[in-house]
Amino acid sequence: MARVFNFSAGPSVLPLSVLQKAAGELIEYGSAGMSVMEMSHRSKEYMTIITQAEALLRELMQVPDNYKVLFQQGGATLQFATIPMNLLTTFNRNADYIHTGIWSKKAIAECNRQGHARIAASSEAENFTRIPRQDELDLDPAAAYVHMTTNNTIFGTEFPYIPDVGDVPLVADMSSNIMSREMDVSKFGLIYAGAQKNLGPAGVTLVIIREDLLGRHAGLPLMLDYKVQAEKESMLNTPPTYGIYMLGLVLQWIKENGGIASIEKKNIHKAAKLYQAIDNNDFYCCPTEVESRSRMNVPFTLKNPDLDATFLAEAEQQGLMNLKGHRLSGGMRASIYNAMSEEGIDALIAFMEDFANRNG
Amino acid sequence: MARVFNFSAGPSVLPLSVLQKAAGELIEYGSAGMSVMEMSHRSKEYMTIITQAEALLRELMQVPDNYKVLFQQGGATLQFATIPMNLLTTFNRNADYIHTGIWSKKAIAECNRQGHARIAASSEAENFTRIPRQDELDLDPAAAYVHMTTNNTIFGTEFPYIPDVGDVPLVADMSSNIMSREMDVSKFGLIYAGAQKNLGPAGVTLVIIREDLLGRHAGLPLMLDYKVQAEKESMLNTPPTYGIYMLGLVLQWIKENGGIASIEKKNIHKAAKLYQAIDNNDFYCCPTEVESRSRMNVPFTLKNPDLDATFLAEAEQQGLMNLKGHRLSGGMRASIYNAMSEEGIDALIAFMEDFANRNG
């Protein structure tokens, strides 16, 4: 079978050229005579791979020198716990959370196991169909940090702005839109992201942390202590070596495609096309507020939900996969991360128009 | 360059046939039209991959029904902390540790951050060149658990027996010899292992836990709570999907090679050959006690350590890689995990004899 168009919310589509390169050197990497998976993480070859991946990440995201870049494990879900563990202090157990969906809900629950997560703003009453505006944020200047989720995969919303939180460190879960748009890293105290949307395969978790936030809390398990991980340069123990190698290949692909600014332009164009196709056709509806719409995850419903199953089955027959919406939001969802080609968007739009014509 | 013989202590050699299969289906898996790395972890295709991996693991290790099999992240180092977190109780903060090297030392340190690790036996005074015997174990019947490291990569020792610890749960770090020999799982309360020696690539951590040990301690971060992970069947969040797929391929290879009993026979044979070559030649010396010798990691020294660098350089020229010993033990170390072929052992022995003849 040929390659499909994979609209999965994550793990998700990877660039074909990256997969081809990985397949070509899976058994023997360069002149090493072995697979990257078989390399000691402390070998010269592997050290080059991980060092280059970090350098490329710093270059593409323009990470300032006073930030550490860490390759961790456990996904955003472990970070939900690790962040309060590291950033709450003995005397300040309070943090502000901007509540925009299921992922922030999970982050809030983990913080509440260790301290107190105060809700600085929430769009729960509107079923998370929009992002709270800056003037709606009720911020505590004494909070240990402010937590936000930059993009929400399930409800298809995305912050169109970086909140101004004064001198309190801003902590951002960027799992689902990292490197899809330019972000001023210096506005954040800590950025984290599971790799499995825009960065590579599942199993690698990126953490970018401002140095002054290291070591707020002593005596943590070593693996969960950002200060220790920073000192050991992500090599406290064996890192997920192959995942980091794949991440490096994806970063190289981003660079070859003009860097984040250029990728962002394509993402704006792809998302605009798809939203327009939805908005211009009464057969479909997008529930999210226009200003809050995600460029990564596009939820939409059919006017007649009885046709949902038929829509999905026919889409699959045309190689348009994983369009079913999350059970919490229902309907459809097209996840169109960096690696989703415009060709994929066009194929989806053509199918949607055809389906509407036949069933409308 | 052709494939080398890779004696790395970990990550380490994988079976060539496994790598070939992985390379062949990296871009498109079966009829899925996508890479395993791109699959939603909840897709039908991926659920089949992870379910089959667990079933195969249960079959090969004969895991009893009252044990859960978990695929986790973070390596043994995170388990060093997660084990006391889960198994110490509010009223019992004491655990026994059998101290046999650097890995147990790290495990002890993590336990001491949360409670008290009592040393039930130690071979530190003998520089960890042997494993304490059963009659040397000073066990506390009230301990929350007894911790052991079944194989020690750095000092090349391996438990030749499973300690009798009465009714106290036995917890074993099997990172470096899991599936290299038959083990009666029912003798253990908890078994854990980083995958990167005998199971697959780095980034997957196997945990096998007896059900009655789940839920001893409430309120843990969800990712670190074995009970939650067991209830969610390793799908609390996105697991390291590609690593688990690779682990499944390695398990399939073990099965095709006759299962663990057959692999164990080969390991006994391979190790015996190499130790014999060392013991029969005055040019080389193995520092470990004969009864405690590891079948996985074979440390040896040259009579004249001035020749170490020459030995390593010439070995590399012949495609015998990563033979340098750990900095704590010095000399050489040949790690000969399941996937190291007898051909590799023979090539190493031939080189060692030739080198001794030329330099002895």
Side-chain angles (χ1 to χ4, degrees):
Chain A
M1 184 170 182
R3 295 255 309 162
V4 297
F5 292 115
N6 179 12
F7 295 96
S8 170
S12 49
V13 59
L14 289 167
L16 178 58
S17 63
V18 164
L19 294 174
Q20 286 166 334
K21 190 165 169 59
E25 59 196 23
L26 191 134
I27 299 170
E28 288 180 38
Y29 177 82
S31 61
M34 66 180 77
S35 175
V36 172
M37 289 185 224
E38 299 172 284
M39 286 179 185
S40 165
H41 54 298
R42 302 198 186 278
S43 64
K44 204 174 59 184
E45 285 92 349
Y46 191 74
M47 285 304 296
T48 303
I49 289 172
I50 192 169
T51 305
Q52 287 185 347
E54 182 183 333
L56 203 44
L57 191 136
R58 285 185 170 277
E59 177 190 331
L60 290 167
M61 290 189 72
Q62 298 176 50
V63 178
D65 287 344
N66 62 326
Y67 285 71
K68 294 289 187 188
V69 171
L70 308 177
F71 299 118
Q72 305 289 288
Q73 298 186 58
T77 307
L78 184 54
Q79 294 303 314
F80 296 162
T82 315
I83 285 160
M85 239 181 246
N86 281 265
L87 298 190
L88 296 181
T89 67
T90 309
F91 304 107
N92 188 354
R93 308 301 294 165
N94 300 303
D96 274 358
Y97 278 71
I98 306 175
H99 185 25
T100 54
I102 297 309
W103 303 111
S104 61
K105 187 177 177 182
K106 290 174 192 276
I108 288 164
E110 286 291 353
C111 179
N112 279 329
R113 283 196 184 83
Q114 302 177 43
H116 175 60
R118 185 176 156 280
I119 308 301
S122 169
S123 53
E124 188 167 16
E126 292 138 297
N127 198 29
F128 302 118
T129 51
R130 71 178 192 90
I131 297 290
R133 296 181 309 273
Q134 172 76 48
D135 62 29
E136 293 176 284
L137 304 182
D138 170 30
L139 297 166
D140 172 8
Y145 59 89
V146 181
H147 183 280
M148 70 183 294
T149 314
T150 51
N151 182 76
N152 302 281
T153 51
I154 295 175
F155 300 100
T157 60
E158 185 171 8
F159 270 83
Y161 70 101
I162 298 177
D164 178 354
V165 296
D167 292 333
V168 178
L170 182 58
V171 173
D173 176 358
M174 292 194 189
S175 293
S176 52
N177 71 344
I178 193 157
M179 291 215 179
S180 71
R181 60 194 299 155
E182 292 191 284
M183 288 276 197
D184 181 350
V185 174
S186 74
K187 295 274 204 293
F188 298 88
L190 190 155
I191 290 168
Y192 65 104
Q196 66 268 21
K197 283 97 156 79
N198 276 329
L199 297 178
V204 183
T205 313
L206 172 69
V207 173
I208 305 174
I209 182 167
R210 212 173 59 210
E211 286 173 350
D212 65 283
L213 297 176
L214 299 169
R216 276 190 172 188
H217 203 101
L220 299 175
L222 296 187
M223 276 296 283
L224 307 177
D225 188 328
Y226 295 134
K227 183 163 189 278
V228 173
Q229 292 282 5
E231 282 164 0
K232 297 287 184 181
E233 298 181 320
S234 307
M235 288 269 192
L236 171 65
N237 69 343
T238 313
T241 49
Y242 194 74
I244 294 169
Y245 153 77
M246 286 298 304
L247 180 143
L249 293 186
V250 171
L251 298 184
Q252 194 58 49
W253 174 83
I254 292 175
K255 186 172 179 178
E256 286 161 9
N257 280 271
I260 295 177
S262 169
I263 294 273
E264 179 172 8
K265 268 188 206 153
K266 287 177 195 160
N267 285 333
I268 291 171
H269 179 66
K270 288 188 300 181
K273 247 186 173 178
L274 184 52
Y275 282 113
Q276 199 171 33
I278 294 165
D279 291 340
N280 289 350
N281 194 328
D282 281 347
F283 192 83
Y284 301 104
C285 176
C286 173
T288 48
E289 182 195 68
V290 172
E291 293 73 23
S292 302
R293 284 180 174 177
S294 167
R295 297 173 187 162
M296 298 285 102
N297 312 94
V298 181
F300 60 94
T301 54
L302 274 56
K303 198 171 13 188
N304 179 2
D306 293 345
L307 291 172
D308 281 6
T310 313
F311 179 92
L312 289 167
E314 289 188 17
E316 284 199 12
Q317 278 164 21
Q318 302 205 17
L320 304 164
M321 315 303 277
N322 298 317
L323 285 165
K324 190 173 182 182
H326 192 276
R327 63 186 158 76
L328 289 173
S329 50
M332 309 297 153
R333 172 178 51 175
S335 293
I336 53 172
Y337 298 114
N338 287 354
M340 173 54 66
S341 61
E342 187 167 352
E343 191 192 349
I345 306 289
D346 291 341
L348 173 59
I349 291 172
F351 167 73
M352 287 170 69
E353 287 176 356
D354 178 56
F355 188 86
N357 288 340
R358 287 186 287 110
N359 296 281
Chain B
M1 184 172 184
R3 296 254 309 161
V4 297
F5 292 115
N6 178 12
F7 295 96
S8 169
S12 51
V13 58
L14 289 166
L16 178 57
S17 63
V18 164
L19 294 173
Q20 285 167 334
K21 190 165 168 58
E25 59 196 24
L26 192 136
I27 299 170
E28 288 181 38
Y29 176 83
S31 60
M34 64 180 78
S35 175
V36 172
M37 288 185 226
E38 300 174 283
M39 286 179 185
S40 165
H41 54 298
R42 301 199 186 277
S43 65
K44 205 174 59 184
E45 285 91 350
Y46 191 74
M47 285 304 295
T48 303
I49 289 172
I50 191 170
T51 305
Q52 287 185 348
E54 182 184 332
L56 203 44
L57 191 136
R58 286 184 170 277
E59 177 190 332
L60 290 167
M61 290 189 72
Q62 298 176 48
V63 179
D65 287 345
N66 62 326
Y67 285 72
K68 294 289 187 190
V69 171
L70 309 177
F71 298 117
Q72 305 289 287
Q73 297 185 60
T77 306
L78 184 53
Q79 294 302 314
F80 295 162
T82 315
I83 286 161
M85 238 181 246
N86 280 265
L87 299 190
L88 297 180
T89 67
T90 308
F91 302 108
N92 187 355
R93 308 300 295 165
N94 300 303
D96 274 358
Y97 279 71
I98 305 175
H99 185 26
T100 54
I102 297 310
W103 303 112
S104 60
K105 186 177 177 181
K106 290 174 192 275
I108 288 164
E110 286 291 354
C111 179
N112 279 329
R113 283 197 184 84
Q114 302 178 43
H116 175 59
R118 186 177 155 279
I119 308 301
S122 169
S123 53
E124 188 167 16
E126 291 138 298
N127 198 30
F128 301 119
T129 52
R130 71 178 192 91
I131 296 291
R133 296 181 309 271
Q134 172 76 46
D135 61 28
E136 292 176 284
L137 304 182
D138 170 29
L139 297 166
D140 172 8
Y145 59 88
V146 181
H147 183 280
M148 70 184 294
T149 314
T150 51
N151 183 77
N152 302 281
T153 51
I154 295 174
F155 300 99
T157 60
E158 184 171 9
F159 271 82
Y161 70 101
I162 299 177
D164 179 355
V165 296
D167 292 333
V168 177
L170 181 58
V171 173
D173 177 358
M174 291 194 190
S175 293
S176 54
N177 71 345
I178 194 157
M179 290 215 180
S180 72
R181 60 193 299 155
E182 293 192 284
M183 288 276 197
D184 182 350
V185 174
S186 74
K187 295 273 204 291
F188 299 88
L190 190 155
I191 290 168
Y192 65 103
Q196 65 269 21
K197 284 97 156 77
N198 277 329
L199 297 179
V204 183
T205 314
L206 173 67
V207 173
I208 305 174
I209 183 168
R210 211 173 59 208
E211 286 173 352
D212 64 284
L213 297 176
L214 299 169
R216 276 190 172 187
H217 203 101
L220 299 174
L222 296 187
M223 276 297 282
L224 307 177
D225 188 327
Y226 295 133
K227 183 163 189 276
V228 173
Q229 291 283 4
E231 282 165 0
K232 296 286 184 181
E233 298 181 320
S234 307
M235 287 270 193
L236 171 65
N237 69 342
T238 313
T241 49
Y242 194 73
I244 294 169
Y245 153 78
M246 286 298 302
L247 179 143
L249 294 186
V250 171
L251 298 184
Q252 193 59 49
W253 173 84
I254 292 175
K255 185 173 180 178
E256 287 160 9
N257 280 271
I260 295 177
S262 169
I263 293 273
E264 179 173 7
K265 269 188 206 151
K266 286 178 196 160
N267 285 334
I268 291 171
H269 179 67
K270 287 188 299 180
K273 247 187 173 177
L274 184 52
Y275 281 114
Q276 199 171 31
I278 294 164
D279 291 340
N280 288 351
N281 195 327
D282 280 348
F283 192 82
Y284 301 105
C285 175
C286 173
T288 49
E289 183 196 66
V290 172
E291 292 73 24
S292 302
R293 283 180 174 177
S294 167
R295 297 173 187 162
M296 298 285 102
N297 311 95
V298 181
F300 60 95
T301 54
L302 273 56
K303 199 170 17 188
N304 179 1
D306 292 346
L307 291 171
D308 281 7
T310 313
F311 180 93
L312 289 167
E314 289 188 16
E316 284 199 11
Q317 278 164 22
Q318 302 206 15
L320 304 164
M321 316 303 277
N322 297 318
L323 286 165
K324 189 172 181 183
H326 192 277
R327 64 186 158 74
L328 289 173
S329 49
M332 308 297 152
R333 172 178 51 174
S335 294
I336 53 172
Y337 297 114
N338 287 353
M340 173 53 67
S341 62
E342 188 167 352
E343 192 192 348
I345 306 289
D346 291 341
L348 174 59
I349 291 172
F351 167 72
M352 287 170 69
E353 286 175 357
D354 178 56
F355 188 85
N357 288 341
R358 286 186 287 110
N359 296 281

